[in-house]
Amino acid sequence: MWTQKELRLTARPRGFHLISDEILRQLPELENYKIGLMNILLKHTSASLTINENADPTVRKDFESFFNHAVPEDEPYYLHNDEGSDDLPAHLKASILGASLNIPITNGQLNMGIWQGIYLCEHRNHGGSRSLVITLQGDTF
């Protein structure tokens, strides 16, 4: 069985944000899958997805600090800066982290660790609403 749908996420400020619950609220079809995979594709080039700590919010703040240090704005060798000083660094961060995830499905639920959550990594100061394509594949009940 295959299911595919496009979801819109609430606009968020720059930073790393847990979006697991927002995805699951818009995905009631998940409960029909006994075993399978969920692929998530973020349809943007200046934001990314990752899976990490879902309990302590300081982890997300530390991620933002690390990536801002590792990929700074306003470097003199950046050529792509028409959309602001955060634009090229956002593209670089998105390439480092990636735009898609694959998560196993078991008995109608995502099979992730208890402390794992799905992050939207918003790398722009004003990124706006983001779109995801969710594809579910597997055996249903």
Side-chain angles (χ1 to χ4, degrees):
M1 174 85 165
W2 289 82
T3 302
Q4 187 173 80
K5 66 191 299 187
E6 189 162 328
L7 310 179
R8 294 290 291 173
L9 297 175
T10 304
R12 289 174 168 79
R14 184 170 170 167
F16 289 73
H17 307 279
L18 277 172
I19 59 169
S20 304
D21 289 342
E22 186 174 357
I23 290 171
L24 293 175
R25 277 193 303 273
Q26 299 182 64
L27 204 58
E29 301 88 345
L30 182 65
E31 68 184 24
N32 299 325
Y33 285 83
K34 183 177 181 182
I35 186 171
L37 285 173
M38 178 174 79
N39 175 268
I40 309 172
L41 173 70
L42 177 65
K43 294 176 63 173
H44 301 277
T45 62
S46 57
S48 56
L49 298 170
T50 194
I51 294 174
N52 216 296
E53 166 84 43
N54 68 2
D56 184 352
T58 62
V59 172
R60 297 187 301 276
K61 291 178 183 176
D62 288 343
F63 265 60
E64 178 67 12
S65 296
F66 171 82
F67 278 95
N68 288 338
H69 178 77
V71 186
E73 294 182 16
D74 298 317
E75 290 296 332
Y77 51 86
Y78 291 165
L79 301 177
H80 180 76
N81 56 18
D82 293 341
E83 296 178 43
S85 63
D86 65 334
D87 190 34
L88 182 64
H91 293 309
L92 295 171
K93 293 171 188 177
S95 288
I96 291 167
L97 287 165
S100 67
L101 299 172
N102 288 303
I103 303 170
I105 301 167
T106 306
N107 296 322
Q109 298 182 336
L110 299 181
N111 193 344
M112 300 195 315
I114 193 166
W115 303 116
Q116 289 182 316
I118 302 167
Y119 286 16
L120 171 68
C121 315
E122 178 55 70
H123 305 302
R124 296 298 310 267
N125 293 329
H126 306 286
S129 179
R130 300 298 191 171
S131 296
L132 301 175
V133 176
I134 307 287
T135 304
L136 304 176
Q137 173 194 6
D139 294 332
T140 57
F141 290 105

